[in-house]
Amino acid sequence: MEVWQEVIQKYPDMSFWVAQNKSVPVEILSILASDPEFFVRQRIAYNKKATFKALQILSHDNNDELRTHALKRISEDRYR
Protein backbone atom coordinates (compact mmCIF):
# COMPACT_ATOMS: atom_id res chain seq x y z
CA MET A 1 0.00 0.00 0.00
CA GLU A 2 2.79 2.41 0.93
CA VAL A 3 4.59 1.78 -2.36
CA TRP A 4 1.47 2.60 -4.39
CA GLN A 5 0.92 5.79 -2.40
CA GLU A 6 4.55 6.78 -2.89
CA VAL A 7 4.32 6.19 -6.65
CA ILE A 8 1.25 8.42 -7.09
CA GLN A 9 2.72 11.11 -4.84
CA LYS A 10 6.21 11.21 -6.35
CA TYR A 11 5.22 10.42 -9.93
CA PRO A 12 1.72 11.84 -10.54
CA ASP A 13 2.14 11.25 -14.28
CA MET A 14 2.11 7.51 -13.49
CA SER A 15 -1.36 7.68 -11.91
CA PHE A 16 -3.00 6.59 -15.17
CA TRP A 17 -0.96 3.40 -15.21
CA VAL A 18 -1.62 2.78 -11.53
CA ALA A 19 -5.37 3.23 -12.11
CA GLN A 20 -5.47 0.46 -14.69
CA ASN A 21 -3.10 -1.92 -12.93
CA LYS A 22 -4.88 -5.16 -12.03
CA SER A 23 -3.00 -5.61 -8.77
CA VAL A 24 -3.57 -2.12 -7.35
CA PRO A 25 -5.28 -2.15 -3.94
CA VAL A 26 -8.86 -0.87 -3.95
CA GLU A 27 -7.90 1.80 -1.41
CA ILE A 28 -5.66 3.38 -4.04
CA LEU A 29 -8.56 3.46 -6.49
CA SER A 30 -10.52 5.54 -4.00
CA ILE A 31 -7.62 7.98 -3.73
CA LEU A 32 -7.30 8.24 -7.50
CA ALA A 33 -11.05 8.89 -7.90
CA SER A 34 -10.21 12.50 -6.98
CA ASP A 35 -7.25 12.82 -9.34
CA PRO A 36 -7.20 16.07 -11.34
CA GLU A 37 -6.65 14.17 -14.63
CA PHE A 38 -9.81 13.08 -16.46
CA PHE A 39 -8.26 9.92 -17.91
CA VAL A 40 -7.20 8.71 -14.44
CA ARG A 41 -10.72 9.21 -13.08
CA GLN A 42 -12.15 7.54 -16.19
CA ARG A 43 -10.00 4.45 -15.56
CA ILE A 44 -11.37 4.31 -12.02
CA ALA A 45 -14.98 4.68 -13.19
CA TYR A 46 -14.60 1.73 -15.55
CA ASN A 47 -12.39 -0.41 -13.29
CA LYS A 48 -14.23 -3.55 -12.16
CA LYS A 49 -12.51 -3.30 -8.78
CA ALA A 50 -13.87 0.19 -8.07
CA THR A 51 -15.38 0.42 -4.61
CA PHE A 52 -18.57 2.12 -3.55
CA LYS A 53 -16.44 4.89 -2.05
CA ALA A 54 -14.59 5.50 -5.34
CA LEU A 55 -17.83 5.52 -7.32
CA GLN A 56 -19.46 7.79 -4.78
CA ILE A 57 -16.63 10.29 -5.26
CA LEU A 58 -17.04 10.02 -9.04
CA SER A 59 -20.81 10.47 -8.76
CA HIS A 60 -20.04 14.13 -7.98
CA ASP A 61 -17.50 14.54 -10.80
CA ASN A 62 -17.63 17.63 -13.03
CA ASN A 63 -17.62 15.39 -16.10
CA ASP A 64 -21.10 14.18 -17.16
CA GLU A 65 -19.81 10.85 -18.52
CA LEU A 66 -18.02 9.90 -15.33
CA ARG A 67 -20.82 11.09 -13.09
CA THR A 68 -23.46 9.19 -15.09
CA HIS A 69 -21.38 6.00 -15.27
CA ALA A 70 -20.61 6.06 -11.54
CA LEU A 71 -24.27 6.60 -10.64
CA LYS A 72 -25.33 3.77 -12.95
CA ARG A 73 -22.83 1.36 -11.38
CA ILE A 74 -23.99 2.35 -7.90
CA SER A 75 -27.66 1.86 -8.81
CA GLU A 76 -26.86 -1.57 -10.30
CA ASP A 77 -24.73 -2.60 -7.27
CA ARG A 78 -21.70 -3.10 -9.54
CA TYR A 79 -18.88 -2.28 -7.17
CA ARG A 80 -16.71 -3.89 -4.51
Side-chain angles (χ1 to χ4, degrees), residues 22-59:
K22 293 182 185 210
S23 65
V24 68
V26 294
E27 296 86 3
I28 298 297
L29 298 180
S30 294
I31 293 169
L32 291 175
S34 298
D35 196 90
E37 293 294 323
F38 167 79
F39 291 111
V40 173
R41 296 189 321 275
Q42 183 184 48
R43 287 293 92 216
I44 303 304
Y46 288 88
N47 190 313
K48 293 178 183 179
K49 289 174 56 176
T51 62
F52 176 77
K53 180 179 177 182
L55 294 173
Q56 190 174 36
I57 292 167
L58 291 168
S59 73

